[in-house]
């Protein structure tokens, strides 16, 4: 078993990515926003199981190719298995993206929920820029966690009783300051793109709103509920000294930590398969071109 953490999260990745986008919206981005009307060479930084390749290749002009860069050996194996019988020109490279050097040979460099896990995201962004030709495009799909956290509603439940936005904002900011890994990077990317010299910078948001409808088909409801659970809805932390100490270590007071754990446990108790819920992840989609 690989020790790389994301090699142990493949099922989670496959079960939750669909919560972000409707296919017609991705088609709109490809054709009407990015105006991709000729075959292109894509490189995906932190490709995982090849999710972006699976979504974008069917929408791109015939002759396009996709290269996935990924540290996880098990993720690479899953990606190769998925694409084995698909009619696309793909390559997967098992590598350490923080150290790999890539020549300027691609038309588009991509990332999906990857930069937030990097201790030096500007370094990775520069590698992405260096990997594309002149006029090449950088496209990053990255989250803004504090926005995601507020972007849901549960019938009959006051959001403030189960989700403490001020405390979460404090945790996210202090975690980013301590480790460099920033779950709110999605909203920073337009600024970073421009600061790194990219032009034509623009940012959009993902379109999908997930509705756990008590009148929907039971099979579809079960799939949606389980995916939302895996995405983190209804996670119940242990009410223990260890949990409190972990939050204190991240910058909360003991009282704040206890209140946070109590709120998360209330959320877990309220969120069941019988809950009426809407949730929009609002992934930020930033693009810019190299001049």
């Amino acid at each position: 078993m690989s020790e790389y953490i994301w090699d142990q999260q493949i099922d989670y990745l496959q079960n939750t990515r669909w919560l972000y986008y409707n296919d017609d919206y991705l088609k709109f981005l490809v054709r009407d926003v990015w105006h991709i009307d000729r075959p292109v060479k894509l490189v995906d930084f932190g490709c995982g199981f090849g999710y972006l390749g699976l979504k974008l290749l069917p929408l791109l002009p015939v002759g396009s190719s996709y290269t996935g860069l990924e540290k996880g050996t098990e993720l690479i194996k899953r990606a190769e298995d998925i694409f084995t019988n698909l009619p696309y020109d793909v390559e997967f490279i098992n590598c350490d993206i923080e150290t790999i050097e890539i020549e300027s040979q691609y038309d588009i460099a991509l990332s999906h929920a990857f930069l937030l896990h990097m201790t030096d995201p500007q370094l990775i962004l520069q590698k992405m820029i260096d990997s594309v030709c002149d006029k090449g495009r950088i496209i990053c799909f990255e989250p803004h966690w504090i926005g995601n956290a507020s972007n849901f509603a549960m019938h009959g439940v006051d959001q403030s009783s189960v989700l403490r936005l001020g405390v979460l904002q404090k945790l996210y900011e202090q975690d980013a300051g301590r480790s460099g890994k920033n779950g709110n990077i999605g909203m920073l990317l337009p600024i970073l793109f421009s600061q790194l010299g990219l032009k034509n910078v623009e940012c959009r948001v993902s379109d999908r709103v997930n509705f756990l409808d008590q009148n929907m088909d039971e099979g579809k409801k079960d799939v949606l509920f389980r995916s939302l659970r895996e995405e983190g809805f209804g996670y119940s932390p242990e009410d223990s000294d260890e949990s409190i100490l972990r939050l204190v270590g991240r910058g909360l007071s003991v009282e704040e930590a206890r209140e946070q754990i109590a709120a998360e446990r209330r959320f877990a108790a309220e969120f069941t398969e019988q809950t009426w819920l809407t949730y929009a992840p609002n992934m930020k989609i930033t693009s810019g071109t190299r001049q």
Side-chain angles (χ1 to χ4, degrees):
M1 176 69 72
S2 169
E3 294 182 359
Y4 182 59
I5 185 171
W6 293 105
D7 271 341
Q8 301 166 38
Q9 300 293 325
I10 298 175
D11 289 341
Y12 154 74
L13 293 172
Q14 289 191 285
N15 291 340
T16 59
R17 301 303 88 172
W18 69 277
L19 296 171
Y20 302 143
Y21 317 100
N22 290 302
D23 288 343
D24 57 356
Y25 184 64
L26 292 174
K27 181 178 180 179
F28 163 72
L29 291 175
V30 167
R31 299 186 181 181
D32 297 330
V33 178
W34 303 326
H35 302 291
I36 304 174
D37 55 7
R38 61 178 179 81
V40 290
K41 295 176 63 177
L42 307 177
V43 60
D44 186 359
F45 285 68
C47 68
F49 63 88
Y51 169 74
L52 283 181
L54 284 171
K55 302 305 290 185
L56 296 179
L57 283 170
L59 305 175
L60 295 173
V62 174
S64 295
S65 66
Y66 173 81
T67 298
L69 309 178
E70 175 56 55
K71 184 176 182 179
T73 55
E74 296 302 319
L75 281 162
I76 289 286
K77 290 177 183 177
R78 181 68 63 90
E80 290 174 339
D81 287 344
I82 289 171
F83 280 87
T84 294
N85 296 316
L86 297 179
Y88 302 118
D89 180 4
V90 300
E91 177 186 18
F92 294 98
I93 300 174
N94 194 192
C95 62
D96 184 342
I97 293 173
E98 293 180 279
T99 59
I100 191 173
E101 298 294 332
I102 305 174
E103 296 181 1
S104 302
Q105 57 181 302
Y106 298 98
D107 299 298
I108 299 174
L110 308 159
S111 77
H112 188 278
F114 177 67
L115 295 177
L116 77 158
H117 300 296
M118 296 292 100
T119 57
D120 189 351
Q122 286 95 326
L123 171 68
I124 305 302
L125 277 173
Q126 188 60 59
K127 286 180 178 290
M128 295 176 74
I129 294 168
D130 293 341
S131 74
V132 300
C133 306
D134 289 344
K135 309 300 182 182
R137 185 183 296 273
I138 311 300
I139 305 173
C140 295
F141 301 70
E142 297 287 340
H144 181 233
W145 275 355
I146 194 64
N148 295 8
S150 65
N151 219 21
F152 78 94
M154 286 198 297
H155 178 69
V157 177
D158 290 332
Q159 190 184 71
S160 60
S161 70
V162 296
L163 199 75
R164 307 173 67 240
L165 291 175
V167 168
L168 286 177
Q169 188 172 33
K170 178 179 178 180
L171 282 174
Y172 297 157
E173 291 173 350
Q174 293 187 160
D175 286 346
R178 181 169 55 252
S179 70
K181 300 178 181 181
N182 188 352
N184 290 325
I185 196 170
M187 289 293 278
L188 290 174
L189 282 179
I191 298 170
L192 296 179
F193 273 38
S194 185
Q195 290 177 343
L196 289 171
L198 293 174
K199 303 299 181 182
N200 307 311
V201 176
E202 65 172 349
C203 186
R204 303 226 172 197
V205 297
S206 60
D207 70 313
R208 190 178 185 93
V209 179
N210 300 286
F211 178 30
L212 189 63
D213 181 0
Q214 294 310 307
N215 293 320
M216 72 192 300
D217 174 83
E218 286 296 325
K220 292 181 179 179
K221 184 172 75 168
D222 181 67
V223 169
L224 176 56
F225 175 75
R226 292 179 184 277
S227 293
L228 289 168
R229 277 282 196 187
E230 288 198 63
E231 185 72 350
F233 277 80
Y235 164 76
S236 182
E238 294 183 8
D239 188 5
S240 65
D241 291 341
E242 182 179 346
S243 297
I244 292 171
L245 288 174
R246 185 162 52 248
L247 288 173
V248 169
R250 293 173 62 190
L252 298 188
S253 68
V254 172
E255 181 179 359
E256 286 175 326
R258 287 176 175 156
E259 291 176 351
Q260 178 62 22
I261 289 170
E264 291 179 11
R265 290 172 69 84
R266 283 194 297 273
F267 197 155
E270 292 286 355
F271 183 56
T272 71
E273 199 160 356
Q274 284 68 54
T275 300
W276 295 81
L277 176 135
T278 54
Y279 168 59
N282 275 10
M283 187 75 80
K284 306 304 180 287
I285 308 166
T286 304
S287 69
T289 55
R290 175 178 178 176
Q291 300 300 306

